[in-house]
Amino acid sequence: MSSKTLPYSNKDIHYDNAKFRQRSVFKVINQTLLTSNVKHHCTSCSTGKFLVLLMIFGIACLLLTHTSSPGSVSNGLVNGSGNGTYEHNISGGIRFPNLFRRAPRLPPQLTPDQIGGGGKLGPNWVDRQENVKKAFIHAWSGYKRYAMGFDELKPLSKQGVDGLGGLGATVVDALDTAMIMGVDEVVSEAGLWIEKHLSNRISEKGQVNLFETTIRVLGGLLSAYHLSSVNQGTNSTHTGPEPAVYLETAKNLADRLLSGFTSSPTAIPYGDVVLRDPSAHPAPDGLSSTSEVSTLQLEFNYLSSVSGDPKYTVAAMKVLEHMKTLPKVEGLVPIFINPNTGEFSGENIRLGSRGDSYYEYLLKVWLQKGPNRESNLTYLYDMYEEAMKGVRHRLVRKSIPNGLVFVGELPYGSDGDFSPKMDHLVCFLAGTLALGATKGITKEKAMRDNLLNFEDLENLKLAEDLAKTCFEMYSVTSTGLAPEIAYFHTEEFSDGGLDGGNKSSKYLNDIIIKRADRHNLLRPETVESLFVLYRITEDPKYREWGWQIFEAFEKYTRIDTGGYSSLDDVTKIPPHTRDKMETFFLGETLKYLYLLFGDTSLVPLDKYVFNTEAHPIPIEGTTKRV
Ligand code: DMJ
């Protein structure tokens, strides 16, 4: 990536604390004279004039001896020194204004991680992180007691259900979360179940969805393989089976999933695979979701890299190479694709269901290849960048009356009407945009090294605005939990629907919730983005927002006998529960919350990309190869 010159001026660098910017020295002198007692009592007498002149002389001397100070806050931001420079001002820079004026109120001189240390000044993030671990153990214990080996737990009816083909999806989805949290007992229980049962299941089971099985099961196995091999990025001691068990199981699974690619006459795979045959066929309507066929590559690439067999990456990358050639609307694509023709189907464009992770993987597959990536992959980043420009141009609007930034839809294509509908799923985009802007390093470092170009800064701004909107989708409801879908009030759209029910929310009139969309499935996208944004901006507000969301999950979705449950209606208290704990609650939601509250060196974003199910995969050339 070439680093381009920063086109923004200092004032364009968005920080909430504008009031802390340093004032000009001459303004300070002026204000000092105008506001000091000298003015009130002495300016009309000659002694007074003499004193004023003396003071100006004194100040000029002070200035001459301090002009080399580097310490302006705005300079600090451009140089990337941010808080450090600001601390310098407080402790040892230009001090004279303090002789005359009360110092401006300043935030505590602590880094976000120090604030998290549990001192008097901030919440105890270590304790909060521990609470997330306890929640994970509670979720697992319900699953283990009532549903071990099933795909999912029904926590109210206290039984298991196979909604994902019967590969014990919760076991595999939860395993690397347990490794990262250091819950060794779960690592061991899940690992031993996989060793004993999963290969047989893979050989015997029938139809599975290629995408869901890849992101949850294959992705989970590959992360477990990596994390248990390097014992890096985890708090876990080595428990469970040898890493090779995970790799062999992953190969067995992927070999069968490959029939999704080989059965199709085009580069676009069929969506349904029958594992035991193995064979594959298109979904009943003949179409595949765009996101589903383009969200397989991180997993298949990594498997080729660790197995030494290129067949996985070759098949998966053909999809993206083919998609590069298809017509788009400013980089935006319809949500269906026909595997028999290889063409997009229909005109519906959205970043919610069926569209979302197409955009996520354009960026992440490019990132996965690491700093030494071959230039023939640049097309992925180009497609990503064009699409994000398209999002900003075509899909971003503000709500009324309070201006929440949201990403809507074009259900009838580029010439049709805009719909102010946003799935909760779209909230992944805030994290992806931030990751794409800095490529995983902190904003401070990226600024210091002059790595952010105009597009990056625009994307970062949109990321922060969108994360706020996603957080407000939680805060606006009576339960503090987001609905599955929200509509936004605009000049053109004020359609009937419910408000969220939290009468103290400023955004009650901005966000409209339709009756059919009031449920919450314990989804991760908002906390995922809060985690990425916290890592990149280091702004502690993202942790606070995450904590509020976690508390709401605890209050309304925790089932005493074990597990957590989806809800039917987030606008009512008490909310009716749905009797289902999705695998991604353990695989993603709790993992991202744990990482959000923890040490920033755990699974660093410049060394790992998370697959769309939150399974970390190492970036090539940055971690020890296994
Ligand atoms: C997960 O399976 C993945 O995050 C996917 O990309 C979208 N849907 C769910 C979580 O909401």
Side-chain angles (χ1 to χ4, degrees):
M1 183 197 53
S2 64
S3 74
K4 298 177 191 150
T5 316
L6 192 69
Y8 271 30
S9 65
N10 292 349
K11 73 176 166 36
D12 295 314
I13 299 161
H14 177 76
Y15 268 88
D16 289 333
N17 291 350
K19 65 184 172 191
F20 299 128
R21 287 194 194 114
Q22 196 186 32
R23 292 161 296 154
S24 107
V25 169
F26 292 102
K27 268 191 191 156
V28 171
I29 295 172
N30 208 13
Q31 283 173 352
T32 303
L33 290 173
L34 289 173
T35 54
S36 69
N37 287 339
V38 172
K39 182 200 167 214
H40 294 301
H41 301 300
C42 296
T43 42
S44 59
C45 66
S46 55
T47 318
K49 282 176 186 157
F50 174 70
L51 282 174
V52 170
L53 283 171
L54 197 64
M55 194 164 66
I56 292 173
F57 177 70
I59 288 167
C61 289
L62 274 170
L63 260 181
L64 281 174
T65 55
H66 287 82
T67 42
S68 61
S69 166
S72 89
V73 171
S74 49
N75 277 345
L77 294 175
V78 171
N79 297 334
S81 51
N83 283 340
T85 309
Y86 161 68
E87 283 166 21
H88 172 78
N89 272 347
I90 300 167
S91 56
I94 300 173
R95 289 207 185 96
F96 65 87
N98 296 344
L99 296 173
F100 303 101
R101 279 176 67 88
R102 239 181 36 198
R105 290 198 321 141
L106 297 166
Q109 301 171 54
L110 295 172
T111 66
D113 276 347
Q114 286 170 319
I115 289 169
K120 281 186 199 140
L121 288 168
N124 189 328
W125 292 107
V126 176
D127 280 358
R128 288 182 171 188
Q129 193 189 37
E130 201 53 31
N131 285 332
V132 178
K133 191 197 274 194
K134 283 183 190 149
F136 175 79
I137 292 168
H138 182 76
W140 175 262
S141 68
Y143 170 76
K144 186 181 129 188
R145 190 173 315 137
Y146 304 119
M148 189 71 190
F150 284 92
D151 282 334
E152 286 156 319
L153 166 69
K154 287 163 72 88
L156 296 172
S157 38
K158 301 192 181 70
Q159 55 186 348
V161 58
D162 276 342
L164 293 158
L167 300 180
T170 293
V171 180
V172 195
D173 231 0
L175 174 57
D176 64 357
T177 306
M179 289 177 170
I180 288 166
M181 292 180 175
V183 189
D184 288 345
E185 212 179 311
V186 177
V187 174
S188 166
E189 286 162 358
L192 292 175
W193 185 91
I194 288 169
E195 182 172 36
K196 195 162 171 212
H197 301 286
L198 190 50
S199 280
N200 288 342
R201 295 266 181 111
I202 289 168
S203 324
E204 287 162 9
K205 286 290 176 184
Q207 184 174 311
V208 296
N209 176 280
L210 170 64
F211 159 79
E212 296 291 0
T213 310
T214 299
I215 66 169
R216 300 187 201 217
V217 184
L218 184 61
L221 287 168
L222 291 171
S223 282
Y225 165 68
H226 172 76
L227 295 176
S228 60
S229 305
V230 295
N231 253 347
Q232 188 178 317
T234 76
N235 286 320
S236 182
T237 52
H238 192 88
T239 56
E242 286 303 308
V245 169
Y246 300 127
L247 182 58
E248 286 311 309
T249 315
K251 277 200 288 185
N252 179 13
L253 178 59
D255 286 344
R256 289 159 195 275
L257 293 177
L258 271 180
S259 75
F261 297 88
T262 51
S263 308
S264 164
T266 70
I268 304 301
Y270 287 153
D272 292 330
V273 172
V274 181
L275 289 174
R276 65 176 161 257
D277 294 347
S279 64
H281 52 267
D285 59 2
L287 302 175
S288 296
S289 298
T290 300
S291 63
E292 293 192 357
V293 302
S294 55
T295 310
L296 310 161
Q297 289 69 22
L298 286 178
E299 299 81 356
F300 280 73
N301 289 347
Y302 184 55
L303 182 55
S304 276
S305 148
V306 290
S307 68
D309 189 336
K311 68 183 173 190
Y312 309 106
T313 190
V314 167
M317 289 305 286
K318 272 190 190 149
V319 180
L320 298 180
E321 284 151 21
H322 173 76
M323 288 181 121
K324 177 178 67 169
T325 67
L326 298 179
K328 306 177 183 70
V329 177
E330 299 184 36
L332 306 174
V333 293
I335 59 170
F336 288 109
I337 189 161
N338 187 329
N340 286 321
T341 64
E343 302 295 327
F344 286 124
S345 174
E347 294 194 289
N348 195 342
I349 290 173
R350 67 175 178 233
L351 274 83
S353 61
R354 302 182 188 279
D356 48 6
S357 46
Y358 162 77
Y359 304 95
E360 180 185 354
Y361 269 38
L362 290 179
L363 174 70
K364 287 185 174 176
V365 173
W366 179 81
L367 284 175
Q368 176 187 29
K369 295 294 174 182
N372 305 321
R373 70 181 69 80
E374 288 159 19
S375 58
N376 63 1
L377 288 175
T378 307
Y379 77 92
L380 292 170
Y381 190 77
D382 293 344
M383 284 164 76
Y384 166 77
E385 201 171 40
E386 190 195 3
M388 292 308 106
K389 259 192 223 170
V391 167
R392 297 199 315 263
H393 182 214
R394 296 282 192 145
L395 302 181
V396 171
R397 299 273 169 94
K398 281 188 180 177
S399 67
I400 55 173
N402 292 305
L404 284 176
V405 172
F406 67 93
V407 175
E409 303 183 356
L410 291 171
Y412 308 103
S414 62
D415 298 329
D417 284 347
F418 174 84
S419 166
K421 163 178 176 272
M422 188 169 104
D423 295 353
H424 181 273
L425 288 168
V426 178
C427 292
F428 85 95
L429 185 64
T432 296
L433 283 163
L435 185 68
T438 71
K439 286 76 187 170
I441 61 174
T442 63
K443 176 180 176 180
E444 185 192 23
K445 182 165 171 23
M447 300 289 283
R448 188 170 60 230
D449 295 348
N450 202 19
L451 294 175
L452 303 185
N453 63 24
F454 178 82
E455 293 298 320
D456 297 328
L457 288 165
E458 289 284 305
N459 287 341
L460 202 44
K461 176 80 172 71
L462 175 57
E464 297 216 46
D465 289 343
L466 187 60
K468 176 175 170 52
T469 301
C470 290
F471 170 67
E472 298 301 345
M473 282 166 63
Y474 284 72
S475 251
V476 81
T477 71
S478 310
T479 55
L481 291 169
E484 176 72 358
I485 298 169
Y487 286 76
F488 289 84
H489 190 177
T490 61
E491 294 293 350
E492 301 80 30
F493 182 90
S494 57
D495 219 9
L498 304 165
D499 66 47
N502 175 9
K503 301 296 175 209
S504 62
S505 167
K506 174 179 166 190
Y507 300 102
L508 212 57
N509 294 322
D510 292 65
I511 298 176
I512 301 163
I513 303 171
K514 299 210 172 182
R515 286 186 179 277
D517 307 331
R518 291 174 290 175
H519 50 290
N520 178 296
L521 304 182
L522 313 171
R523 283 197 192 278
E525 290 75 20
T526 296
V527 295
E528 165 186 353
S529 286
L530 297 182
F531 155 67
V532 177
L533 273 162
Y534 176 67
R535 287 284 179 95
I536 284 172
T537 67
E538 303 175 285
D539 187 334
K541 81 180 175 203
Y542 295 115
R543 277 182 154 180
E544 285 298 344
W545 292 356
W547 177 249
Q548 281 185 45
I549 292 171
F550 175 70
E551 282 194 305
F553 277 129
E554 282 290 291
K555 190 163 180 189
Y556 293 112
T557 70
R558 188 177 199 276
I559 305 299
D560 282 344
T561 47
Y564 289 76
S565 179
S566 305
L567 302 179
D568 272 339
D569 183 356
V570 293
T571 68
K572 294 275 168 350
I573 294 176
H576 191 258
T577 35
R578 221 174 220 207
D579 199 15
K580 179 106 160 307
M581 181 171 77
E582 300 279 347
T583 75
F584 48 70
F585 187 63
L586 292 90
E588 299 194 68
T589 311
L590 293 176
K591 182 188 289 149
Y592 283 130
L593 283 165
Y594 182 85
L595 290 171
L596 171 62
F597 302 154
D599 195 296
T600 54
S601 62
L602 189 59
V603 200
L605 289 177
D606 56 350
K607 294 196 168 51
Y608 289 91
V609 275
F610 287 84
N611 89 337
T612 197
E613 191 74 5
H615 298 303
I617 292 186
I619 292 177
E620 286 177 23
T622 65
T623 26
K624 197 178 124 201
R625 185 132 189 260
V626 289

